[in-house]
């Protein structure tokens, strides 16, 4: 039988990234946003994608439409704000800053002020139960150029499990199990805050 044609191998990390960006640009909706599993505009996915794109050189993301994405996310801002939940608010701030907007004046709303309203100075957390949402909140502050409270970073150490990982929820239960996704987000957050690789929290997570 005739041999089955094999796809050409990726030759370098740069090639892989270029192909990934091409694929991602093909997923962008005409509105400028990105869809959910039903094909509808998803402000959450749009924010997440633009958080990634904002870390790349402008020359690599010139095919994407930041202003259109910002406009596409705006209908979600009011319900996200109404929920008074740091997770959606952080997503909104991250999406606005990534697309070049002002989180203090997004569709007439001060998203950062609402995010700060969730901060508990006594515990250092931006959410009473979700550590993952706390991480998003810290990332949103950093992306916006805000000063992150020392207590918010210290709280990350308090939430770390004995094996060095982190769980999506805040818990003092010794039986709490960490997960890779939250642990990776915690390391990303610490790095964004300028915490070095020799930090005990980072070493524990990598060990």
């Amino acid at each position: 039988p005739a041999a089955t044609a094999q796809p050409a191998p990726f030759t370098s990390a740069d090639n892989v990234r270029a192909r990934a960006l091409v694929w991602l640009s093909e997923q962008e909706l005409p509105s400028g946003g990105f869809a959910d599993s039903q094909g509808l505009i998803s402000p959450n996915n749009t924010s997440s994608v633009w958080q990634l794109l904002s870390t790349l050189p402008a020359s690599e993301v010139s095919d994407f439409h930041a202003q259109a994405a910002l406009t596409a996310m705006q209908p979600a801002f009011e319900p996200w704000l109404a929920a008074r939940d740091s997770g959606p608010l952080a997503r909104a701030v991250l999406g606005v800053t990534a697309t070049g907007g002002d989180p203090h004046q997004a569709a007439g709303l001060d998203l950062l002020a609402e995010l700060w309203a969730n901060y508990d100075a006594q515990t250092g957390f931006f959410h009473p139960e979700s550590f993952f949402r706390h991480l998003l909140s810290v990332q949103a502050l950093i992306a916006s150029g805000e000063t992150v409270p020392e207590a918010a970073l210290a709280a990350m150490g308090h939430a770390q499990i004995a094996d060095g990982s982190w769980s999506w929820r805040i818990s003092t239960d010794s039986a709490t199990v960490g997960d890779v996704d939250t642990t990776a987000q915690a390391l990303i957050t610490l790095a964004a805050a300028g915490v070095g690789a020799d930090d005990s929290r980072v070493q524990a997570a990598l060990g």
Side-chain angles (χ1 to χ4, degrees):
T4 303
Q6 297 298 314
F10 293 136
T11 56
S12 70
D14 287 342
N15 192 23
V16 171
R17 186 161 84 175
R19 292 190 184 204
L21 286 171
V22 168
W23 177 86
L24 194 57
S25 69
E26 292 170 349
Q27 311 312 307
E28 189 177 30
L29 299 173
S31 65
F34 290 84
D36 58 18
S37 60
Q38 305 300 314
L40 302 174
I41 177 70
S42 167
N44 189 54
N45 288 348
T46 302
S47 173
S48 297
V49 170
W50 272 99
Q51 188 182 0
L52 166 66
L53 295 177
S54 67
T55 67
L56 301 176
S59 60
E60 294 189 33
V61 298
S62 58
D63 289 339
F64 295 88
H65 305 89
Q67 186 57 51
L70 178 58
T71 300
M73 286 187 288
Q74 287 182 2
F77 292 164
E78 286 198 23
W80 281 0
L81 188 147
R84 296 290 190 268
D85 188 300
S86 61
L89 285 167
R91 283 288 188 203
V93 171
L94 286 165
V96 169
T97 56
T99 51
D102 181 354
H104 283 294
Q105 299 180 14
L109 304 171
D110 191 339
L111 300 174
L112 268 173
E114 294 296 333
L115 180 60
W116 274 113
N118 283 268
Y119 179 59
D120 184 338
Q122 300 232 332
T123 65
F125 288 116
F126 276 87
H127 196 282
E129 299 175 351
S130 173
F131 181 65
F132 197 93
R133 294 185 181 195
H134 173 71
L135 295 176
L136 290 178
S137 299
V138 174
Q139 290 176 18
L141 295 183
I142 294 170
S144 304
E146 298 279 299
T147 299
V148 178
E150 287 296 327
L153 296 177
M156 294 179 62
H158 303 326
Q160 194 167 22
I161 299 170
D163 65 3
S165 66
W166 281 274
S167 169
W168 67 271
R169 68 190 180 95
I170 298 168
S171 174
T172 57
D173 186 344
S174 60
T176 299
V177 178
D179 63 87
V180 172
D181 191 19
T182 306
T183 301
Q185 283 295 329
L187 290 173
I188 290 170
T189 305
L190 288 171
V195 175
D198 59 346
D199 183 86
S200 61
R201 294 163 293 186
V202 177
Q203 288 298 309
L206 297 178

